[in-house]
Amino acid sequence: MDVRTLADRELAELPLIDMTEWLVRKGEHDPTFRLVANEFGVVTTLLDHGYYIEASERIVPLLGMKVPAAFHRLGLALEVKANGKKAAKRRFRSFSPAVIGHADLSDWRNAFKWNKSWLGLPLAVGLGLVALIFWPDPAPPPVTPTASDERVITVTEDEALAKRLEELEQEVARLEEANEALTTEDKTSEAPKAPEASAVVPLGEVEQLVSDKRYEEADVLLAGKAKAGQEQAVGFYRLLVDNKLGEADIDDYADYVNKYPESGYMADVLWMKGIAEKKAGDDTYRTTLAEVAAMDGTYWAPIAKSVLEEE
């Protein structure tokens, strides 16, 4: 199964409510899990709104704890959505052998073309190196003296050992290349037909595409002109899509805030602005997130509070 398809399936099927309840029950007896349960609530909220990068970053501490495999599956799915297959594979490799070999992660092993037997490869290589170091060289064959004055070239023990180590390193490199080749994806499926831009932005269709996380297609439709009375909504979706495609900057959010100060999407816009400022190293993000935290009743208020309280 394609890694991205697997990630979408995991995000759709994993029982997030049950996982949250499990953490809460553990937290009744362990303060560490009580803190993790609160953090996991932030992760699920970020996930609900498609903020995969932030959600993937915040779930990392939980992946180092003794939790059910479902949490590791979620961590892999989030990393695929946030940073792609190679980053998810690196996260997969960072798991303990027990987690990697867990039955519930079999689909991920297959997606990464990861054979359980490879878990022992580092150990085998290490043992091979030790064996080479301590394995005695065979006794040299007797040399029959001759009357010839020809020069005899001899190989020292250190040179022989160096040659064997070099051969072993080449073999390990070959195995790694073969493993990497197995992970290459076949992209043979035909891409869906892209929507055509229209003169007027079909807001309902844009909302559905954004809901389905089909941001490139929504971007095409947003090239048109907003209908009268829909300017605020269309402007917001343009910002949101640009944010998802990595094309929005702090000035874009600030322009929207100045243009539509009474917008019903203000909490969402300020949240995106605050995150953009934080990533840019702009200390203004604290003021922006404090404004979001004060917007009681919005999705982003408790999350903004959590971010500010961590500092």
Side-chain angles (χ1 to χ4, degrees), residues 6 9 11 20 91 94 114 134 217 220 226 267:
L6 176 57
R9 192 194 73 181
L11 294 179
T20 302
R91 176 169 289 182
S94 72
W114 189 277
F134 293 102
E217 297 174 51
V220 174

Side-chain angles (χ1 to χ4, degrees), residues 18-247:
D18 294 342
M19 293 161 69
T20 302
E21 291 178 351
W22 184 88
L23 290 172
V24 171
R25 288 197 302 271
K26 290 284 289 185
E28 293 175 356
H29 308 287
D30 188 335
T32 302
F33 277 94
R34 191 178 309 128
L35 295 174
V36 170
N38 293 334
E39 184 69 3
F40 190 67
V42 176
V43 170
T44 56
T45 303
L46 289 168
L47 174 59
D48 287 342
H49 291 80
Y51 286 89
Y52 299 114
I53 295 177
E54 291 79 5
S56 183
E57 291 173 352
R58 296 181 79 105
I59 201 173
V60 169
L62 191 146
L63 300 180
M65 303 174 66
K66 292 183 178 180
V67 293
F71 291 94
H72 295 89
R73 290 162 57 192
L74 177 60
L76 291 171
L78 288 173
E79 188 67 357
V80 170
K81 301 293 285 186
N83 298 305
K85 177 180 177 179
K86 287 187 177 180
K89 188 175 181 181
R90 286 194 295 271
R91 176 169 289 182
F92 180 77
R93 285 174 172 171
S94 72
F95 295 160
S96 68
V99 173
I100 292 175
H102 197 286
D104 286 355
L105 269 75
S106 60
D107 288 339
W108 285 102
R109 286 197 301 275
N110 292 334
F112 292 135
K113 303 296 188 297
W114 189 277
N115 191 313
K116 280 187 180 181
S117 63
W118 294 348
L119 294 174
L121 179 59
L123 176 61
V125 172
L127 292 175
L129 289 171
V130 172
L132 281 175
I133 293 173
F134 293 102
W135 191 271
D137 285 334
V143 178
T144 304
T146 65
S148 171
D149 291 333
E150 293 180 1
R151 183 182 179 186
V152 179
I153 300 176
T154 60
V155 178
T156 67
E157 182 179 348
D158 289 342
E159 290 172 342
L161 176 58
K163 187 174 185 302
R164 290 187 197 140
L165 289 175
E166 182 181 354
E167 291 172 350
L168 183 58
E169 289 172 355
Q170 290 173 353
E171 179 63 14
V172 172
R174 187 189 66 77
L175 289 173
E176 289 180 346
E177 288 177 3
N179 179 25
E180 189 64 28
L182 287 173
T183 64
T184 303
E185 297 177 14
D186 260 346
K187 298 182 179 180
T188 56
S189 56
E190 184 179 353
K193 185 178 179 182
E196 297 180 359
S198 57
V200 178
V201 175
L203 184 57
E205 190 173 347
V206 168
E207 290 174 341
Q208 185 59 52
L209 288 172
V210 170
S211 177
D212 294 339
K213 301 178 177 60
R214 295 159 62 186
Y215 304 117
E216 291 83 359
E217 297 174 51
D219 188 42
V220 174
L221 296 181
L222 285 166
K225 183 180 179 181
K227 292 181 181 178
Q230 295 183 349
E231 291 84 2
Q232 289 186 18
V234 170
F236 166 71
Y237 280 104
R238 280 180 178 144
L239 269 183
L240 180 59
V241 168
D242 284 347
N243 173 277
K244 298 300 181 182
L245 297 178
E247 297 174 356

